[in-house]
Amino acid sequence: MPTCPRCHQAVDTQAIACPYCRTTLKAHGHPGIPLYRADGDDYLCQSCTYHADDTCNFPQRPYAKECTLYQNQFQAQASTPTYRPRLSTSVKTWIKQNAVWIVLVGLVVVSVLIALSSA
């Protein structure tokens, strides 16, 4: 069971606030999102990936003590394999997306062949 960061009492994993000291444990209105907290006098932004690459738009940046989107830039990120569809799947998808254009080009080619053969 996780413990409260303030009173260090054991709390339920689904708890939004600590039942002992009422410290907020989850993001307000989003009980499934964890709320990250800075330790001591440090700020979360000092070690956050989003602050390092300048994509963070959190109003309390760079002095945020609590954040729901925090991602530690010093922890190894698990690499996820990149999905690459097969060529046949890509071609089929492209044909489905451009079917109207393919039909129009086909009609133009047929009409040009008819015009050339009758001349």
Side-chain angles (χ1 to χ4, degrees):
M1 252 187 169
T3 60
C4 173
R6 179 184 283 165
C7 67
H8 304 290
Q9 296 289 328
V11 294
D12 183 28
T13 56
Q14 299 299 318
I16 296 173
C18 175
Y20 305 102
C21 66
R22 298 286 175 216
T23 299
T24 305
L25 302 174
K26 304 277 181 157
H28 180 72
H30 303 282
I33 300 175
L35 183 63
Y36 298 97
R37 285 196 170 76
D39 296 326
D41 293 335
D42 295 335
Y43 298 108
L44 286 177
C45 297
Q46 294 171 345
S47 61
C48 184
T49 302
Y50 299 115
H51 179 71
D53 66 8
D54 203 29
T55 57
C56 179
N57 60 1
F58 192 50
Q60 282 78 24
R61 179 183 174 208
Y63 305 110
K65 290 285 201 176
E66 297 178 338
C67 184
T68 57
L69 298 176
Y70 174 74
Q71 192 175 63
N72 192 338
Q73 67 180 351
F74 302 115
Q75 286 182 339
Q77 299 294 326
S79 62
T80 56
T82 305
Y83 172 71
R84 298 189 188 224
R86 290 185 282 165
L87 181 61
S88 62
T89 307
S90 298
V91 170
K92 288 177 185 176
T93 304
W94 184 85
I95 290 172
K96 285 180 184 178
Q97 291 175 347
N98 298 299
V100 173
W101 291 108
I102 294 169
V103 170
L104 288 174
V105 169
L107 288 172
V108 169
V109 169
V110 168
S111 64
V112 167
L113 288 175
I114 292 171
L116 289 176
S117 65
S118 65

PDB file of all heavy atoms in Angstrom, residues 1 3 15-16 18 26 29-30 38 40 46-47 49 53 65 72 76 85 87 93 97 103 110 112 117:
ATOM      1  N   MET A   1       0.835  -1.191   0.000  1.00  0.00           N
ATOM      2  CA  MET A   1       0.000   0.000   0.000  1.00  0.00           C
ATOM      3  C   MET A   1       0.874   1.247   0.000  1.00  0.00           C
ATOM      4  O   MET A   1       1.862   1.305   0.708  1.00  0.00           O
ATOM      5  CB  MET A   1      -0.856   0.016   1.270  1.00  0.00           C
ATOM      6  CG  MET A   1      -2.286  -0.265   1.045  1.00  0.00           C
ATOM      7  SD  MET A   1      -3.226  -0.010   2.551  1.00  0.00           S
ATOM      8  CE  MET A   1      -4.800  -0.098   1.801  1.00  0.00           C
ATOM      9  N   THR A   3       2.002   5.151   0.811  1.00  0.00           N
ATOM     10  CA  THR A   3       1.888   5.963   2.023  1.00  0.00           C
ATOM     11  C   THR A   3       1.709   7.424   1.662  1.00  0.00           C
ATOM     12  O   THR A   3       2.093   7.872   0.587  1.00  0.00           O
ATOM     13  CB  THR A   3       3.153   5.827   2.896  1.00  0.00           C
ATOM     14  OG1 THR A   3       4.272   6.258   2.137  1.00  0.00           O
ATOM     15  CG2 THR A   3       3.349   4.394   3.360  1.00  0.00           C
ATOM     16  N   ALA A  15      -7.475   6.240  -3.140  1.00  0.00           N
ATOM     17  CA  ALA A  15      -7.810   7.428  -2.353  1.00  0.00           C
ATOM     18  C   ALA A  15      -7.394   8.699  -3.071  1.00  0.00           C
ATOM     19  O   ALA A  15      -6.290   8.798  -3.607  1.00  0.00           O
ATOM     20  CB  ALA A  15      -7.133   7.364  -0.996  1.00  0.00           C
ATOM     21  N   ILE A  16      -8.297   9.673  -3.086  1.00  0.00           N
ATOM     22  CA  ILE A  16      -8.007  10.967  -3.707  1.00  0.00           C
ATOM     23  C   ILE A  16      -7.302  11.883  -2.716  1.00  0.00           C
ATOM     24  O   ILE A  16      -6.456  12.683  -3.089  1.00  0.00           O
ATOM     25  CB  ILE A  16      -9.306  11.613  -4.224  1.00  0.00           C
ATOM     26  CG1 ILE A  16      -9.878  10.737  -5.325  1.00  0.00           C
ATOM     27  CG2 ILE A  16      -9.077  13.024  -4.706  1.00  0.00           C
ATOM     28  CD1 ILE A  16     -11.227  11.151  -5.815  1.00  0.00           C
ATOM     29  N   CYS A  18      -5.686  11.911   1.563  1.00  0.00           N
ATOM     30  CA  CYS A  18      -5.305  11.105   2.721  1.00  0.00           C
ATOM     31  C   CYS A  18      -6.423  11.176   3.762  1.00  0.00           C
ATOM     32  O   CYS A  18      -6.855  12.279   4.121  1.00  0.00           O
ATOM     33  CB  CYS A  18      -4.005  11.626   3.302  1.00  0.00           C
ATOM     34  SG  CYS A  18      -3.513  10.787   4.828  1.00  0.00           S
ATOM     35  N   LYS A  26      -4.317  12.769  -5.470  1.00  0.00           N
ATOM     36  CA  LYS A  26      -4.580  12.628  -6.905  1.00  0.00           C
ATOM     37  C   LYS A  26      -4.964  13.986  -7.458  1.00  0.00           C
ATOM     38  O   LYS A  26      -5.338  14.890  -6.744  1.00  0.00           O
ATOM     39  CB  LYS A  26      -5.718  11.636  -7.165  1.00  0.00           C
ATOM     40  CG  LYS A  26      -5.498  10.264  -6.575  1.00  0.00           C
ATOM     41  CD  LYS A  26      -4.647   9.429  -7.470  1.00  0.00           C
ATOM     42  CE  LYS A  26      -4.477   8.055  -6.850  1.00  0.00           C
ATOM     43  NZ  LYS A  26      -4.163   7.031  -7.731  1.00  0.00           N
ATOM     44  N   GLY A  29     -10.366  16.229  -9.661  1.00  0.00           N
ATOM     45  CA  GLY A  29     -11.297  15.889 -10.719  1.00  0.00           C
ATOM     46  C   GLY A  29     -10.847  14.742 -11.598  1.00  0.00           C
ATOM     47  O   GLY A  29     -11.565  14.311 -12.481  1.00  0.00           O
ATOM     48  N   HIS A  30      -9.650  14.237 -11.362  1.00  0.00           N
ATOM     49  CA  HIS A  30      -9.108  13.134 -12.165  1.00  0.00           C
ATOM     50  C   HIS A  30      -8.504  12.097 -11.220  1.00  0.00           C
ATOM     51  O   HIS A  30      -7.292  12.034 -11.058  1.00  0.00           O
ATOM     52  CB  HIS A  30      -8.042  13.631 -13.138  1.00  0.00           C
ATOM     53  CG  HIS A  30      -8.527  14.702 -14.048  1.00  0.00           C
ATOM     54  ND1 HIS A  30      -9.314  14.429 -15.140  1.00  0.00           N
ATOM     55  CD2 HIS A  30      -8.382  16.045 -14.012  1.00  0.00           C
ATOM     56  CE1 HIS A  30      -9.610  15.562 -15.746  1.00  0.00           C
ATOM     57  NE2 HIS A  30      -9.061  16.550 -15.080  1.00  0.00           N
ATOM     58  N   ALA A  38       7.249  17.423  -5.276  1.00  0.00           N
ATOM     59  CA  ALA A  38       8.687  17.625  -5.103  1.00  0.00           C
ATOM     60  C   ALA A  38       9.081  17.290  -3.673  1.00  0.00           C
ATOM     61  O   ALA A  38       8.288  17.438  -2.741  1.00  0.00           O
ATOM     62  CB  ALA A  38       9.047  19.073  -5.415  1.00  0.00           C
ATOM     63  N   GLY A  40      11.239  18.110  -0.385  1.00  0.00           N
ATOM     64  CA  GLY A  40      11.938  19.197   0.292  1.00  0.00           C
ATOM     65  C   GLY A  40      11.793  20.533  -0.407  1.00  0.00           C
ATOM     66  O   GLY A  40      10.712  20.947  -0.786  1.00  0.00           O
ATOM     67  N   GLN A  46      13.046  21.036 -12.138  1.00  0.00           N
ATOM     68  CA  GLN A  46      14.493  20.862 -12.249  1.00  0.00           C
ATOM     69  C   GLN A  46      14.870  19.539 -12.905  1.00  0.00           C
ATOM     70  O   GLN A  46      15.906  19.439 -13.545  1.00  0.00           O
ATOM     71  CB  GLN A  46      15.140  20.948 -10.865  1.00  0.00           C
ATOM     72  CG  GLN A  46      15.023  22.312 -10.246  1.00  0.00           C
ATOM     73  CD  GLN A  46      15.477  22.323  -8.794  1.00  0.00           C
ATOM     74  OE1 GLN A  46      15.612  21.285  -8.166  1.00  0.00           O
ATOM     75  NE2 GLN A  46      15.693  23.521  -8.264  1.00  0.00           N
ATOM     76  N   SER A  47      14.006  18.519 -12.761  1.00  0.00           N
ATOM     77  CA  SER A  47      14.327  17.208 -13.319  1.00  0.00           C
ATOM     78  C   SER A  47      13.275  16.705 -14.303  1.00  0.00           C
ATOM     79  O   SER A  47      13.277  15.545 -14.669  1.00  0.00           O
ATOM     80  CB  SER A  47      14.487  16.188 -12.190  1.00  0.00           C
ATOM     81  OG  SER A  47      13.279  16.072 -11.464  1.00  0.00           O
ATOM     82  N   THR A  49      11.326  16.226 -17.844  1.00  0.00           N
ATOM     83  CA  THR A  49      11.625  16.153 -19.273  1.00  0.00           C
ATOM     84  C   THR A  49      10.981  17.302 -20.038  1.00  0.00           C
ATOM     85  O   THR A  49      11.591  17.883 -20.938  1.00  0.00           O
ATOM     86  CB  THR A  49      11.101  14.817 -19.848  1.00  0.00           C
ATOM     87  OG1 THR A  49      11.713  13.758 -19.126  1.00  0.00           O
ATOM     88  CG2 THR A  49      11.409  14.686 -21.322  1.00  0.00           C
ATOM     89  N   ASP A  53      12.984  20.130 -22.413  1.00  0.00           N
ATOM     90  CA  ASP A  53      12.818  20.342 -23.862  1.00  0.00           C
ATOM     91  C   ASP A  53      11.907  21.529 -24.175  1.00  0.00           C
ATOM     92  O   ASP A  53      11.536  21.751 -25.313  1.00  0.00           O
ATOM     93  CB  ASP A  53      12.336  19.073 -24.566  1.00  0.00           C
ATOM     94  CG  ASP A  53      10.937  18.642 -24.161  1.00  0.00           C
ATOM     95  OD1 ASP A  53      10.246  19.391 -23.447  1.00  0.00           O
ATOM     96  OD2 ASP A  53      10.536  17.540 -24.578  1.00  0.00           O
ATOM     97  N   LYS A  65       5.748  22.657  -7.457  1.00  0.00           N
ATOM     98  CA  LYS A  65       5.974  21.679  -6.396  1.00  0.00           C
ATOM     99  C   LYS A  65       5.099  20.451  -6.609  1.00  0.00           C
ATOM    100  O   LYS A  65       5.381  19.386  -6.093  1.00  0.00           O
ATOM    101  CB  LYS A  65       5.650  22.291  -5.028  1.00  0.00           C
ATOM    102  CG  LYS A  65       6.626  23.341  -4.579  1.00  0.00           C
ATOM    103  CD  LYS A  65       7.882  22.675  -4.129  1.00  0.00           C
ATOM    104  CE  LYS A  65       8.680  23.577  -3.208  1.00  0.00           C
ATOM    105  NZ  LYS A  65       9.841  22.881  -2.705  1.00  0.00           N
ATOM    106  N   ASN A  72      10.375  12.246 -15.066  1.00  0.00           N
ATOM    107  CA  ASN A  72      11.760  12.418 -14.664  1.00  0.00           C
ATOM    108  C   ASN A  72      12.692  12.164 -15.843  1.00  0.00           C
ATOM    109  O   ASN A  72      12.703  11.089 -16.419  1.00  0.00           O
ATOM    110  CB  ASN A  72      12.092  11.469 -13.513  1.00  0.00           C
ATOM    111  CG  ASN A  72      13.416  11.799 -12.860  1.00  0.00           C
ATOM    112  OD1 ASN A  72      14.278  12.435 -13.458  1.00  0.00           O
ATOM    113  ND2 ASN A  72      13.572  11.373 -11.627  1.00  0.00           N
ATOM    114  N   ALA A  76      15.579   6.062 -16.778  1.00  0.00           N
ATOM    115  CA  ALA A  76      15.617   5.424 -18.102  1.00  0.00           C
ATOM    116  C   ALA A  76      14.190   5.187 -18.570  1.00  0.00           C
ATOM    117  O   ALA A  76      13.378   4.606 -17.865  1.00  0.00           O
ATOM    118  CB  ALA A  76      16.377   4.116 -18.035  1.00  0.00           C
ATOM    119  N   PRO A  85       3.797  -0.564 -40.473  1.00  0.00           N
ATOM    120  CA  PRO A  85       2.930  -1.448 -41.260  1.00  0.00           C
ATOM    121  C   PRO A  85       3.664  -1.979 -42.485  1.00  0.00           C
ATOM    122  O   PRO A  85       4.593  -1.361 -42.992  1.00  0.00           O
ATOM    123  CB  PRO A  85       1.772  -0.544 -41.662  1.00  0.00           C
ATOM    124  CG  PRO A  85       2.323   0.827 -41.604  1.00  0.00           C
ATOM    125  CD  PRO A  85       3.366   0.809 -40.524  1.00  0.00           C
ATOM    126  N   LEU A  87       4.187  -2.971 -46.419  1.00  0.00           N
ATOM    127  CA  LEU A  87       3.978  -2.169 -47.620  1.00  0.00           C
ATOM    128  C   LEU A  87       2.591  -2.415 -48.213  1.00  0.00           C
ATOM    129  O   LEU A  87       1.907  -1.474 -48.621  1.00  0.00           O
ATOM    130  CB  LEU A  87       5.057  -2.463 -48.653  1.00  0.00           C
ATOM    131  CG  LEU A  87       4.974  -1.671 -49.950  1.00  0.00           C
ATOM    132  CD1 LEU A  87       5.103  -0.176 -49.662  1.00  0.00           C
ATOM    133  CD2 LEU A  87       6.021  -2.122 -50.937  1.00  0.00           C
ATOM    134  N   THR A  93      -4.272   1.107 -47.770  1.00  0.00           N
ATOM    135  CA  THR A  93      -4.781   2.294 -47.070  1.00  0.00           C
ATOM    136  C   THR A  93      -4.754   3.505 -47.986  1.00  0.00           C
ATOM    137  O   THR A  93      -5.718   4.282 -48.034  1.00  0.00           O
ATOM    138  CB  THR A  93      -3.938   2.564 -45.806  1.00  0.00           C
ATOM    139  OG1 THR A  93      -3.950   1.401 -44.986  1.00  0.00           O
ATOM    140  CG2 THR A  93      -4.479   3.747 -45.033  1.00  0.00           C
ATOM    141  N   GLN A  97      -7.980   5.782 -49.276  1.00  0.00           N
ATOM    142  CA  GLN A  97      -8.049   7.214 -49.006  1.00  0.00           C
ATOM    143  C   GLN A  97      -8.151   8.045 -50.281  1.00  0.00           C
ATOM    144  O   GLN A  97      -8.684   9.149 -50.263  1.00  0.00           O
ATOM    145  CB  GLN A  97      -6.829   7.664 -48.201  1.00  0.00           C
ATOM    146  CG  GLN A  97      -6.814   7.135 -46.797  1.00  0.00           C
ATOM    147  CD  GLN A  97      -5.535   7.496 -46.057  1.00  0.00           C
ATOM    148  OE1 GLN A  97      -4.560   7.930 -46.651  1.00  0.00           O
ATOM    149  NE2 GLN A  97      -5.544   7.295 -44.746  1.00  0.00           N
ATOM    150  N   VAL A 103     -10.276   6.996 -59.572  1.00  0.00           N
ATOM    151  CA  VAL A 103     -11.363   6.847 -60.542  1.00  0.00           C
ATOM    152  C   VAL A 103     -11.332   7.990 -61.551  1.00  0.00           C
ATOM    153  O   VAL A 103     -11.472   7.775 -62.767  1.00  0.00           O
ATOM    154  CB  VAL A 103     -12.731   6.758 -59.826  1.00  0.00           C
ATOM    155  CG1 VAL A 103     -13.878   6.857 -60.814  1.00  0.00           C
ATOM    156  CG2 VAL A 103     -12.818   5.479 -59.021  1.00  0.00           C
ATOM    157  N   VAL A 110      -8.946   6.835 -69.979  1.00  0.00           N
ATOM    158  CA  VAL A 110      -9.820   6.138 -70.929  1.00  0.00           C
ATOM    159  C   VAL A 110     -10.322   7.101 -71.995  1.00  0.00           C
ATOM    160  O   VAL A 110     -10.332   6.778 -73.201  1.00  0.00           O
ATOM    161  CB  VAL A 110     -10.994   5.459 -70.186  1.00  0.00           C
ATOM    162  CG1 VAL A 110     -12.070   4.983 -71.160  1.00  0.00           C
ATOM    163  CG2 VAL A 110     -10.483   4.315 -69.344  1.00  0.00           C
ATOM    164  N   VAL A 112      -8.885   9.861 -73.091  1.00  0.00           N
ATOM    165  CA  VAL A 112      -7.774  10.220 -73.968  1.00  0.00           C
ATOM    166  C   VAL A 112      -7.486   9.070 -74.939  1.00  0.00           C
ATOM    167  O   VAL A 112      -7.257   9.306 -76.130  1.00  0.00           O
ATOM    168  CB  VAL A 112      -6.518  10.581 -73.137  1.00  0.00           C
ATOM    169  CG1 VAL A 112      -5.268  10.645 -74.007  1.00  0.00           C
ATOM    170  CG2 VAL A 112      -6.717  11.879 -72.385  1.00  0.00           C
ATOM    171  N   SER A 117      -7.695   6.924 -80.448  1.00  0.00           N
ATOM    172  CA  SER A 117      -7.991   5.800 -81.337  1.00  0.00           C
ATOM    173  C   SER A 117      -8.980   6.205 -82.437  1.00  0.00           C
ATOM    174  O   SER A 117      -8.973   5.627 -83.527  1.00  0.00           O
ATOM    175  CB  SER A 117      -8.548   4.614 -80.553  1.00  0.00           C
ATOM    176  OG  SER A 117      -9.796   4.947 -79.980  1.00  0.00           O
TER     177      SER A 117
END
